[in-house]
Amino acid sequence: MSVHASNESVTQPVLFIPHGGGPCFFMDWQPADMWDGMAVFLASITTRLPERPKAILIISGHWQTAEFGITAGAKPDLIYDYYGFPKHTYDLTYPASGAPVLSERVSKMLTEAGIANTQDAARGFDHGVFIPLKVMLPEADIPVVQMSLRNDLDPKAHLAAGQALQALRQEGVLIIGSGMSFHNMRGYGDTNFTAPSEVFDDWLTDTVATDAETRWSALANWSEAPYATASHPLGAEEHLLPLMVAVGAAGNDKGYKVYSEQVLKTQLSAFQFG
């Protein structure tokens, strides 16, 4: 697979999406329709794209390493990193191939930007990758590469990593940040967190819609936003950090909300750039 620009390629957008709770889209839940709206949104994403992606680069909130890691295997396994769910959810499949050529390209782009990284040929896809992609692209026929978050969760480093990878969008690569716009396990299902989650969601929505310089500055200091640490407790903000990579890769493209819904008494949203 070539990931270099061709006359046939158009610029892909960048997405920040919610990936739900564990294998939520593939099991019974109470109430039964809790995750239906999110699933409908995920399934509709391909209709938002200018063309079929040549490959997907996805950053999940469920893989952290000392420096940025990149899956490099040709046929990555799945990592069932959720616990206490029905037995059949540990038999889910998503046989998308890896893309070693893209892995090498991502590594080179980061290195050229002075950003340390490693390629990991043994790493599989965690549920922040295969669960939403199984809804989005059930045929599993587009190659996928996953990039980790950095252990320090430094927002500036993740913004910079996204910026270094921006040119991939012109090469037919769809860049996806997979996380949650609200992720405080104590807050889910608690009406005391409904209004705070809405206020933080409004801040995110306004922030991603600003110019690149303004939103970089705001997201670099995201913890100062209203109800930020109620929405993402400090030290556990890994579900927000994929947004930083997405914003970096967006360049000057302004973001806008493409999905928003109250789930488990908290506001959850998705954003698109370009």
Side-chain angles (χ1 to χ4, degrees):
M1 183 202 73
S2 171
V3 294
H4 292 282
S6 71
N7 292 333
E8 292 81 35
S9 287
V10 298
T11 301
Q12 289 287 352
V14 184
L15 294 163
F16 174 73
I17 62 169
H19 57 238
C24 60
F25 308 114
F26 304 100
M27 57 178 285
D28 293 332
W29 208 280
Q30 292 298 327
D33 63 351
M34 180 177 293
W35 301 103
D36 287 3
M38 190 179 293
V40 168
F41 162 69
L42 292 171
S44 76
I45 285 175
T46 54
T47 68
R48 310 187 64 84
L49 305 180
E51 67 177 16
R52 175 184 167 87
K54 292 182 172 63
I56 292 170
L57 175 64
I58 186 165
I59 302 88
S60 159
H62 289 279
W63 184 25
Q64 294 176 224
T65 50
E67 50 194 33
F68 290 106
I70 307 154
T71 59
K75 293 296 290 185
D77 294 327
L78 300 187
I79 301 170
Y80 301 95
D81 53 340
Y82 41 76
Y83 309 97
F85 288 93
K87 184 178 183 299
H88 77 270
T89 64
Y90 299 91
D91 297 321
L92 293 172
T93 61
Y94 195 73
S97 66
V101 172
L102 176 58
S103 304
E104 181 64 33
R105 177 111 171 91
V106 169
S107 178
K108 183 179 180 182
M109 294 171 87
L110 291 173
T111 299
E112 288 176 348
I115 299 170
N117 65 90
T118 56
Q119 295 186 67
D120 188 340
R123 171 77 187 187
F125 297 142
D126 61 57
H127 81 272
V129 174
F130 75 84
I131 292 295
L133 289 184
K134 193 171 175 65
V135 181
M136 283 175 53
L137 297 158
E139 300 85 2
D141 56 356
I142 295 178
V144 177
V145 170
Q146 180 179 358
M147 189 174 84
S148 73
L149 301 176
R150 220 167 68 175
N151 280 336
D152 61 7
L153 301 177
D154 177 3
K156 292 180 181 177
H158 291 78
L159 286 159
Q163 183 181 48
L165 301 172
Q166 182 182 343
L168 291 174
R169 297 172 55 200
Q170 285 81 49
E171 299 170 17
V173 178
L174 177 64
I175 300 174
I176 301 174
S178 174
M180 296 287 266
S181 56
F182 176 96
H183 194 262
N184 181 343
M185 299 304 288
R186 288 179 50 249
Y188 287 131
D190 185 343
T191 54
N192 290 318
F193 284 82
T194 302
S197 73
E198 291 171 342
V199 172
F200 183 67
D201 191 88
D202 287 344
W203 180 85
L204 278 181
T205 304
D206 292 343
T207 297
V208 300
T210 59
D211 64 88
E213 183 177 353
T214 300
R215 70 182 176 213
W216 267 57
S217 177
L219 290 170
N221 300 286
W222 70 270
S223 62
E224 298 173 10
Y227 295 108
T229 56
S231 301
H232 296 275
L234 283 177
E237 63 265 36
E238 74 288 334
H239 278 65
L240 181 64
L241 268 291
L243 175 64
M244 310 305 176
V245 182
V247 167
N252 292 319
D253 288 342
K254 292 185 178 180
Y256 55 99
K257 186 182 287 183
V258 289
Y259 159 82
S260 196
E261 186 180 15
Q262 192 178 115
V263 181
L264 291 167
K265 310 298 184 186
T266 62
Q267 199 68 30
L268 301 176
S269 293
F271 303 98
Q272 179 169 329
F273 306 82

